[in-house]
Amino acid sequence: MTQPVLKVNQVRKSYGAEVVLEDISFSVPVHTATVFIGSSGSGKSTLLRCINLLDQIDDGSIELDGEDITAVDADVDKVRRKLGIVFQSFNLFPHMKVIDNITLAPMKVQGISKEVARENAYKLLDRFGLHDKAQDYPDRLSGGQQQRVAIIRSIAVAPRLLLLDEITSALDPVLVNEVLSTVRDLKIEGMTMVLATHEMGFAKQVADEVCFLHHGKILEWGTPTQILEAPQQPETKEFLKRVHEAGRL
Amino acid sequence: MSNEIGRPSESDSGAAPYNFGGEWKPSQLEIDRRAARKERNRRNAAIAIISSIFVIGGLALVAVTSPGWKSLSDTFFAWAYGVEVLPKIILGFGTNVALTLIASVCVGIFGLSIALIRTSRSPALAPFRILATVYVDVFRGIPMLLVLLLVGFGIPALRIKGLTNNVLILGTLAVVITYTAYVAEVIRSGILTIHPSQRAAARSLGLSHFQSLRFVVLPQAFRRVTPPLLNDLVALIKDTGLVSILGVTDAVRAAQIASSRSFNYTPYVMAAIIFLLVTIPLTRFTDRTLRRSIERQNATGVA
């Protein structure tokens, strides 16, 4: 049994008196995708922010490649270099062209030369059908294209683990499919991922494991088929029923 | 033109901002619309010209026919004398230009530093944050004339060896002290308008705190505050005239000397004209920059 890329042990997180995450434990083996589903406020985004150290946990531990990244003396910058995160609101840098958005971190963080960084960036843009957008500013792109550029920007630094936080929540259904297929390609290429999403398409097409998060606790977990087709917990059934009614399943 | 700030100028509506490829022909309705718009513009221009002639002409008439006009024009508009003293005033204006150049560089550096200190959250910088806040509060609240007098006469009065008595240097120092406080606030406000998610994105890519500032936050912040900074530059040029109070021979002082010799005020008018020759083009340039930045933001839909 090889070591999992990510191992989360009994994590607890609260904002003041309000407990947001409680007793969260799971692990993500290499080349697999774990998808967190659950209604808004269930703690999905907080969990990802804690893994990326944008938020700090109150108890438990998070290990990346066997190294405790939540230890008090952990090097935050070094940890973040191994993690990629994509946000709901894209967060591309509006003053830089697409190509410069992608090459910034490889050049400044990894010290790769401009030529090599550009070459790599063009390879990625080619692969995801965005070659002709390289010289555009982000605001000239559609939402789906912007989100795909954001994904490319995150994987350009070759992260060990990619975190995707509600990446399709700001997109209309047509654009969702475009981003979905990009993420599916990443999965096929072996990227290890943790996703938080409302979009059941991700759970169905990308997930190796689906976790249902409810009020900060993992209520139920298993393969996509288990969770989406034969949920055991009443809360999971209720949630999937509501998603189904909203036409998202 | 200034009333068109904030909306795309109508003359642009013909050229499509995006190149959709292929030839675009305006519809009949669009052609009619343009004709109507042209007609309306022509009528508006005619009205504007006629009303300007009446208002400005009327005011000029009132001034020229007033009983004191003759003596006033003799004291303020003696052009022959004005031309005679012009070289001295221009020479003095060179001091204003040099002072502006040196001061604006210093103000830029110090203003940026103070803005960065005030927006940082590092605990090590806490005492500097307090000092910076006090500094800005104090020097934005004192009239610049007082700062000039306090620095210009106060520092030499200390009689500390090695400290300069040069009024030009002391005058520049006073100008820099005052303007740094203003410019720091302009830059700080620009930094604060950049959404935290931009910094989060940069940090999550592994960029350090400094790199996030240098490559992501500051370039966007400066783009937003360029118009107010240019505005402050225009004000700075004018305010360099105040150093004449310390005895620096700038354009204002040169005019003062010339006019006290002849009891004629034309040199002041000449000095004013020289200032205008520099500040008006700069103001127009500022307006254009401002209009462009607003148009750019409207085009992208992110204000």
Side-chain angles (χ1 to χ4, degrees):
Chain A
M1 175 88 193
T2 49
Q3 190 182 44
V5 174
L6 182 76
K7 196 162 184 298
V8 174
N9 308 311
Q10 294 171 320
V11 159
R12 190 169 63 80
K13 164 79 188 168
S14 56
Y15 290 119
E18 197 197 335
V19 177
V20 205
L21 294 173
E22 205 175 351
D23 195 22
I24 301 284
S25 296
F26 65 97
S27 59
V28 184
V30 71
H31 306 318
T32 67
T34 302
V35 171
F36 282 84
I37 57 170
S39 41
S40 298
S42 59
K44 305 186 298 286
S45 290
T46 307
L47 178 59
L48 294 198
R49 289 178 64 88
C50 284
I51 297 173
N52 196 40
L53 305 181
L54 285 168
D55 257 331
Q56 289 168 331
I57 59 171
D58 295 322
D59 203 3
S61 69
I62 300 175
E63 288 169 32
L64 187 65
D65 285 330
E67 196 183 331
D68 185 359
I69 60 172
T70 47
V72 275
D73 58 350
D75 182 345
V76 177
D77 285 344
K78 204 178 127 207
V79 170
R80 289 209 182 115
R81 259 173 255 151
K82 297 168 93 178
L83 291 170
I85 188 166
V86 183
F87 304 91
Q88 176 178 342
S89 51
F90 326 142
N91 296 355
L92 292 175
F93 306 132
H95 62 298
M96 292 180 180
K97 289 174 178 170
V98 165
I99 187 77
D100 298 322
N101 260 281
I102 300 171
T103 55
L104 179 68
M107 281 163 58
K108 301 301 170 191
V109 179
Q110 300 180 316
I112 291 172
S113 77
K114 190 174 176 178
E115 291 71 34
V116 177
R118 283 190 164 238
E119 201 181 320
N120 293 339
Y122 271 113
K123 269 186 208 152
L124 289 169
L125 285 167
D126 265 344
R127 207 164 79 203
F128 296 105
L130 288 167
H131 189 102
D132 57 327
K133 303 293 176 195
Q135 297 297 326
D136 281 345
Y137 284 94
D139 55 272
R140 283 289 164 91
L141 272 53
S142 75
Q145 289 168 341
Q146 289 192 43
Q147 193 57 291
R148 282 152 66 205
V149 170
I151 293 172
I152 292 173
R153 184 176 69 175
S154 296
I155 62 172
V157 286
R160 279 290 287 162
L161 176 69
L162 188 62
L163 308 169
L164 304 166
D165 186 9
E166 307 264 12
I167 59 168
T168 54
S169 298
L171 302 174
D172 69 46
V174 178
L175 300 180
V176 165
N177 281 330
E178 172 184 320
V179 172
L180 187 54
S181 95
T182 299
V183 174
R184 212 169 42 218
D185 288 349
L186 288 182
K187 173 70 174 72
I188 292 167
E189 285 165 24
M191 179 64 75
T192 313
M193 294 185 276
V194 177
L195 299 89
T197 186
H198 286 122
E199 184 58 49
M200 293 306 131
F202 281 111
K204 266 189 191 166
Q205 302 185 20
V206 184
D208 293 286
E209 184 169 57
V210 177
C211 297
F212 175 63
L213 210 56
H214 187 72
H215 292 319
K217 284 185 193 154
I218 297 179
L219 274 196
E220 197 168 352
W221 67 95
T223 64
T225 326
Q226 277 171 354
I227 302 297
L228 299 179
E229 282 162 26
Q232 300 300 307
Q233 302 291 328
E235 286 88 351
T236 321
K237 285 178 188 163
E238 174 63 24
F239 172 74
L240 290 171
K241 195 171 137 240
R242 276 190 289 125
V243 170
H244 196 66
E245 279 163 8
R248 281 262 169 144
L249 192 63
Chain B
M1 272 314 266
S2 61
N3 63 343
E4 293 201 1
I5 281 179
R7 59 191 170 102
S9 69
E10 294 190 338
S11 58
D12 284 349
S13 57
Y18 300 96
N19 186 8
F20 293 111
E23 208 154 316
W24 179 73
K25 282 206 178 71
S27 67
Q28 189 55 44
L29 181 60
E30 173 66 17
I31 293 170
D32 292 349
R33 199 157 34 214
R34 283 187 204 172
R37 198 180 290 144
K38 211 172 198 174
E39 177 53 34
R40 199 168 54 230
N41 286 348
R42 205 175 294 144
R43 205 173 50 232
N44 288 349
I47 293 172
I49 291 170
I50 293 169
S51 97
S52 305
I53 291 173
F54 266 95
V55 172
I56 296 170
L59 287 173
L61 201 67
V62 169
V64 173
T65 56
S66 65
W69 177 252
K70 177 76 181 67
S71 62
L72 181 125
S73 64
D74 284 349
T75 8
F76 283 90
F77 306 120
W79 300 121
Y81 182 57
V83 171
E84 190 189 316
V85 297
L86 191 59
K88 285 210 169 122
I89 298 177
I90 290 177
L91 203 66
F93 191 68
T95 309
N96 296 89
V97 172
L99 210 157
T100 302
L101 291 178
I102 294 165
S104 56
V105 171
C106 297
V107 166
I109 294 168
F110 297 141
L112 175 62
S113 313
I114 287 181
L116 287 178
I117 290 171
R118 287 200 70 185
T119 50
S120 82
R121 273 179 237 139
S122 147
L125 289 175
F128 296 101
R129 250 193 319 275
I130 296 169
L131 285 176
T133 309
V134 171
Y135 164 80
V136 169
D137 282 353
V138 168
F139 286 98
R140 277 201 315 170
I142 303 179
M144 198 173 106
L145 191 55
L146 281 178
V147 178
L148 266 166
L149 292 171
L150 289 171
V151 171
F153 298 134
I155 290 180
L158 293 172
R159 291 194 201 160
I160 297 173
K161 267 220 172 84
L163 272 188
T164 179
N165 285 345
N166 183 323
V167 281
L168 184 56
I169 293 174
L170 291 172
T172 311
L173 180 66
V175 171
V176 169
I177 288 175
T178 303
Y179 269 82
T180 296
Y182 283 101
V183 166
E185 284 302 276
V186 171
I187 297 175
R188 185 170 78 101
S189 71
I191 293 174
L192 292 180
T193 62
I194 305 304
H195 197 269
S197 64
Q198 285 286 307
R199 202 184 296 240
R203 297 287 275 142
S204 68
L205 283 171
L207 268 69
S208 68
H209 174 74
F210 175 77
Q211 286 174 325
S212 306
L213 264 180
R214 162 78 183 74
F215 298 110
V216 175
V217 177
L218 286 182
Q220 295 185 60
F222 269 107
R223 229 163 268 209
R224 289 194 191 171
V225 298
T226 303
L229 284 179
L230 283 172
N231 195 35
D232 278 347
L233 180 63
V234 173
L236 173 64
I237 295 173
K238 286 185 307 170
D239 280 354
T240 57
L242 284 172
V243 298
S244 60
I245 195 102
L246 301 178
V248 175
T249 325
D250 72 327
V252 176
R253 182 87 179 131
Q256 204 174 15
I257 292 167
S259 87
S260 63
R261 214 174 274 153
S262 61
F263 300 106
N264 187 294
Y265 295 128
T266 310
Y268 287 134
V269 177
M270 300 308 278
I273 291 171
I274 292 173
F275 272 100
L276 285 177
L277 285 178
V278 174
T279 52
I280 288 181
L282 199 56
T283 311
R284 289 280 78 80
F285 176 69
T286 307
D287 280 356
R288 214 182 57 183
T289 316
L290 179 64
R291 198 165 55 238
R292 277 195 185 161
S293 83
I294 289 173
E295 274 168 15
R296 196 171 44 226
Q297 280 172 7
N298 286 355
T300 63
V302 233

